[in-house]
Amino acid sequence: MNSVEQFKENAKLNGVDILSKKELEKFGYSDENYFKKDDIAVVKALAGCADDGSVIVDASQKKWLETVVDVKDLYVLINKNSIKPNKFEAYKPFQDRKYLIFLAAESKTADIEKNLVSGVHGAEKLYYIIIDDER
């Protein structure tokens, strides 16, 4: 199994849906690295990790961090060529950056009474869009 297929499989196991880029047209998204409108946001990931279905996102600017954590639905664009077999290979080119976030699933937490709440520490729902961007 190649890295892209493994990434898709593990993302689905994490509860992350894989969508097409056409889904973003309804929000008015036009290829920005960070886009936020109402309760939805779109970000471009730096890399993906096939072994666990996670992505790496740059959060070095306050507005970028807010785009990632302060929304209901988060759509993450990931270039298929930047999906690496494991976290070490995905992280290695960006190890000199200070503020990176690994995302693998929507935010969930539960209290001692087993009340599950989504969206406390980030998006309630996470979606991946795999693109073929040769830039």
Side-chain angles (χ1 to χ4, degrees), residues 1-133:
M1 180 182 314
N2 69 33
S3 291
V4 174
E5 292 306 314
Q6 184 181 9
F7 175 82
K8 287 179 182 179
E9 186 176 298
N10 286 324
K12 287 179 184 176
L13 289 173
N14 292 341
V16 179
D17 294 328
I18 309 289
L19 304 175
S20 77
K21 197 170 179 183
K22 281 191 162 261
E23 293 286 325
L24 302 178
E25 292 175 2
K26 60 187 169 190
F27 307 123
Y29 171 76
S30 61
D31 210 36
E32 298 97 330
N33 286 337
Y34 291 83
F35 171 87
K36 186 175 177 185
K37 182 178 180 183
D38 302 323
D39 283 337
I40 67 105
V42 180
V43 298
K44 288 186 178 177
L46 298 172
C49 312
D51 64 350
D52 67 355
S54 67
V55 294
I56 302 172
V57 175
D58 187 346
S60 60
Q61 293 185 24
K62 183 179 178 187
K63 66 180 180 177
W64 294 354
L65 178 61
E66 289 172 352
T67 301
V68 173
V69 299
D70 190 24
V71 293
K72 183 176 177 181
D73 296 321
L74 179 61
Y75 296 81
V76 179
L77 294 158
I78 178 74
N79 186 319
K80 74 176 188 174
N81 297 322
S82 67
I83 297 173
K84 306 301 179 191
N86 56 57
K87 271 193 166 90
F88 176 76
E89 289 185 41
Y91 171 72
K92 192 174 182 179
F94 309 104
Q95 63 189 350
D96 61 328
R97 297 195 188 188
K98 288 187 178 182
Y99 302 103
L100 299 174
I101 295 177
F102 283 86
L103 300 170
E106 62 265 11
S107 170
K108 291 184 181 178
T109 191
D111 61 17
I112 198 160
E113 296 174 358
K114 299 182 182 176
N115 292 324
L116 183 63
V117 179
S118 294
V120 175
H121 306 102
E124 287 181 32
K125 186 65 182 153
L126 183 63
Y127 304 94
Y128 291 156
I129 298 168
I130 298 173
I131 57 174
D132 188 5
D133 189 1

